[in-house]
Amino acid sequence: DSGVTQTPKHLITATGQRVTLRCSPRSGDLSVYWYQQSLDQGLQFLIQYYNGEERAKGNILERFSAQQFPDLHSELNLSSLELGDSALYFCASSVGTSGEQYFGPGTRLTVT
Amino acid sequence: DAKTTQPPSMDCAEGRAANLPCNHSTISGNEYVYWYRQIHSQGPQYIIHGLKNNETNEMASLIITEDRKSSTLILPHATLRDTAVYYCIVRSWDNYGQNFVFGPGTRLSVLP
């Protein structure tokens, strides 16, 4: 158990819908990272927040957005969902901005 | 960004050392080498990282060549539970800050 929690574990929704994925980092960690893992794309870095502010951006679509709240939990919002958005979404956290990241169990999103 | 090259798959006998190579010939002087692994569809797990010196922890050892163009992750006594995909990552910085690039990794199969 990494100490990072993600909810929900599974999510099934229809194309065009909007969903919110939630992540609680390890106690004391200030950075939160979001990754997408699909069968054909591997593990893709989406975005990083550090203490409430956006710190780094990867291959995140404009239909996706994220934020980190004062209590340091983070949410990833996915809108206008497409079939291709079906994937595992992982959240990770770290104390600062180091590469020693601890990953949650992931949320499996299925878009039908 | 520095890229990494890893063999797609490797086998190792249970109880023997598993040596996983990684090539990162374009690594920059201030870039670290990180290793993670992912067991089935679980969240990736941090293993070890290093800059130029060899490193060891309770999970593994990391050997980085003097020119830093390649490294080897060593699992000294592989067990069946070490069967996983192993990712070698070089941490790079861009205008937006820290960015991680996970490649396809090496699928290690530990055989009984």
Side-chain angles (χ1 to χ4, degrees), chain A residues 33 35 37 43-45 48 54-58 88 90 97-105 108, chain B residues 34 36 38 40-46 49 87 91 93-103:
Chain A
Y33 311 77
Y35 292 84
Q37 187 171 36
L43 198 62
Q44 301 280 319
F45 168 75
Q48 177 202 358
E54 183 183 305
R55 178 59 69 97
K57 220 168 190 177
L88 269 169
F90 289 106
T97 58
S98 75
E100 192 171 334
Q101 299 178 17
Y102 293 86
F103 283 74
R108 182 175 294 279
Chain B
Y34 286 83
Y36 282 77
Q38 187 173 25
H40 195 43
S41 293
Q42 297 177 24
Q45 177 188 23
Y46 165 81
H49 74 280
Y87 299 100
R91 186 178 75 167
W93 288 87
D94 60 20
N95 289 335
Y96 298 100
Q98 188 180 141
N99 193 24
F100 270 86
V101 179
F102 282 79

Side-chain angles (χ1 to χ4, degrees), chain B residues 13-57:
Chain B
E14 188 178 18
R16 304 297 295 269
N19 297 284
L20 293 96
C22 180
N23 184 290
H24 32 78
S25 58
T26 60
I27 192 170
S28 299
N30 62 349
E31 290 178 322
Y32 288 74
V33 180
Y34 286 83
W35 283 84
Y36 282 77
R37 72 181 182 183
Q38 187 173 25
I39 298 171
H40 195 43
S41 293
Q42 297 177 24
Q45 177 188 23
Y46 165 81
I47 301 174
I48 199 167
H49 74 280
L51 182 63
K52 51 177 80 169
N53 297 321
N54 298 339
E55 302 287 344
T56 295
N57 63 20

Side-chain angles (χ1 to χ4, degrees), chain A residues 2 6 9-10 25 29-30 35 39 41 45 49 54 56 60 65 67-68 74 78 86 94 96 98 102-103:
Chain A
S2 67
Q6 291 187 247
K9 286 186 180 179
H10 302 277
D29 285 358
L30 298 179
Y35 292 84
L39 282 175
Q41 291 288 323
F45 168 75
Y49 280 82
E54 183 183 305
I60 187 165
S65 65
Q67 60 184 128
Q68 186 180 27
S74 178
L78 316 176
S86 295
S94 65
S98 75
Y102 293 86
F103 283 74

